[in-house]
Amino acid sequence: MQNFVFQNPTKILFGKGQIARLNDEIPTQARVLVTYGGGSVKRNGTLAEVRAALAGRTVFEFGGVEPNPTYETLMRAVDLARKESVDFLLAVGGGSVVDGTKFISAAVPFVGEPWDIVAKKGMIEQVVPFGVVLTLPATGSEMNPAAVITRKASRDKLGFINRMVYPRFSILDPVKTYTLPPRQVANGVIDAFVHVIEQYLTFPAGAAVQDRFAEGLLLTLIEEGPKALVSPQDYDVRANIMWCATLALNGLISAGVPQDWTTHMIGHELTVLYGLDHAQTLAIVLPATLTVLREAKRAKLLQYASRIWGIATTDEDAAINEAIARTRGFFESLGVPTRLAAYGVSAAGIPTVVEQLRRHGLLALGERQAVTLEVSERILALCA
Ligand code: NZQ
Ligand code: ZN
């Protein structure tokens, strides 16, 4: 295991009815900007509950943060926050609203062009503190310091990671996820699953505890994910999925182990070029990544085959094939196709994706920086 520092400052308030606790978590005198998405939180009553919890305070609202939040939209929120001297933000929604709010948090006090926070990893000296009311378990953004922002004009979808943008607190009420459409339930399960895989399926690092944590999350997602589609109002199912998604990307399982974010990096380019949902891109790319990198990942693929899918490893190559096939089958069983063609994207588009990777400097991905553009191209060819 490599050396690591583990510190996560986000406070989690988990369970039914926790939105009422907002009143204790946000300073009484704060000028609060509530951010939300396209309106699901209005329709399902979450926003009303937030308004009730903040009754009597100075509260502004900014709606319309879109999936894969854009710089263009978020800058309008930055203008509003500056104009109204907002000093606390509250994101109410899924990962896009949370990520967008992280950008707003850093951009409001930023001197200069805020896009530099994303594109040039600009130094953040101050932030507007923020909290989260999460409605979609998927990204882990509610307990991590990362955000992914899209700039439409230049077709960039880029992440930034900065310790200053950890949420102060996140409220995770599984009841708020009951209204998710099946597509978003499946997306969330797949996103969390792939987050675990990208911190687990590399090479053995002597990290037995992290491996077992990761395997526990994968097995729970495999068991509970399909249940959420069948029984959308089962509290325990929703609660377990929600907690899995948070633990999948809050630093717990990545401590001291190698990571491989190839699938995510290629996936972001597919989203920005073709508008696919984040998790759809992962469902397409992950099986191809594992196939192309099967020799480098051999030992962990065999562990994955045995411990997650119960496949006997007497014939190693057969076991790896089967593990990859079962992974693909799991995504498909949730209703998410795993081939580009199913989304109307033809192989003719692959050079454009590779060009985007080149433009974004993604030339040496993977746990050993061995995923060159040529390797990414081979992965993409298998996605067709
Ligand atoms: O916009 P509204 O109307 O709220 O509807 C949303 C949206 O259409 C809807 N939704 C959310 N909660 C709902 C609901 N509908 C009914 N009931 C509810 N309770 O779901 C749709 C998708 O929402 P979105 O927030 O876009 O989804 P998700 O949470 O999957 O976030 C995706 C974004 O997160 C980034 C992705 O790249 C993408 O931009 N990621 C962020 C990460 C991070 N910060 O660490 C890591 C991830 O790998 C990921 O890259
Ligand atoms: Zn993701």
Side-chain angles (χ1 to χ4, degrees), residues 81-103:
R82 286 175 174 165
K83 182 167 133 272
E84 300 294 355
S85 304
V86 160
D87 55 16
F88 205 96
L89 303 168
L90 182 65
V92 184
S96 293
V97 177
V98 181
D99 281 12
T101 304
K102 289 178 179 178
F103 177 78

Side-chain angles (χ1 to χ4, degrees), residues 68-128:
N68 310 302
T70 66
Y71 164 82
E72 287 85 349
T73 298
L74 298 169
M75 283 307 292
R76 290 195 285 114
V78 170
D79 290 343
L80 174 65
R82 286 175 174 165
K83 182 167 133 272
E84 300 294 355
S85 304
V86 160
D87 55 16
F88 205 96
L89 303 168
L90 182 65
V92 184
S96 293
V97 177
V98 181
D99 281 12
T101 304
K102 289 178 179 178
F103 177 78
I104 299 165
S105 156
V108 168
F110 193 75
V111 179
E113 167 51 67
W115 180 245
D116 290 350
I117 296 167
V118 182
K120 299 184 184 163
K121 316 299 168 212
M123 180 76 99
I124 303 173
E125 278 160 15
Q126 272 185 65
V127 292
V128 179

Side-chain angles (χ1 to χ4, degrees), residues 191 195 264 278 282:
D191 194 19
H195 292 159
H264 265 73
H278 173 60
L282 306 177

Side-chain angles (χ1 to χ4, degrees), residues 138-140 148 190-192 194-195 198 249 261 264 268 278-279 282:
T139 64
V148 188
I190 291 173
D191 194 19
V194 177
H195 292 159
E198 296 205 85
L249 200 53
W261 292 96
H264 265 73
H268 287 170
H278 173 60
L282 306 177

Side-chain angles (χ1 to χ4, degrees), residues 21-72:
R21 305 263 301 264
L22 274 175
N23 200 30
D24 308 327
E25 300 300 325
I26 300 180
T28 325
Q29 295 309 319
R31 295 171 66 80
V32 184
L33 176 62
V34 173
T35 51
Y36 60 94
S40 70
V41 297
K42 278 188 171 166
R43 291 189 293 277
N44 65 18
T46 307
L47 189 60
E49 226 176 298
V50 167
R51 285 174 180 154
L54 297 179
R57 290 154 172 271
T58 308
V59 179
F60 305 90
E61 291 182 4
F62 182 89
V65 178
E66 60 278 78
N68 310 302
T70 66
Y71 164 82
E72 287 85 349

Side-chain angles (χ1 to χ4, degrees), residues 15 105 143 161 163 170 195 219 238 253-254 271 310 337 349 357 363:
S105 156
M143 201 179 181
I161 300 179
R163 296 197 62 81
S170 286
H195 292 159
L219 288 168
R238 296 297 199 169
I253 63 169
S254 62
T271 294
L357 291 167
L363 314 172

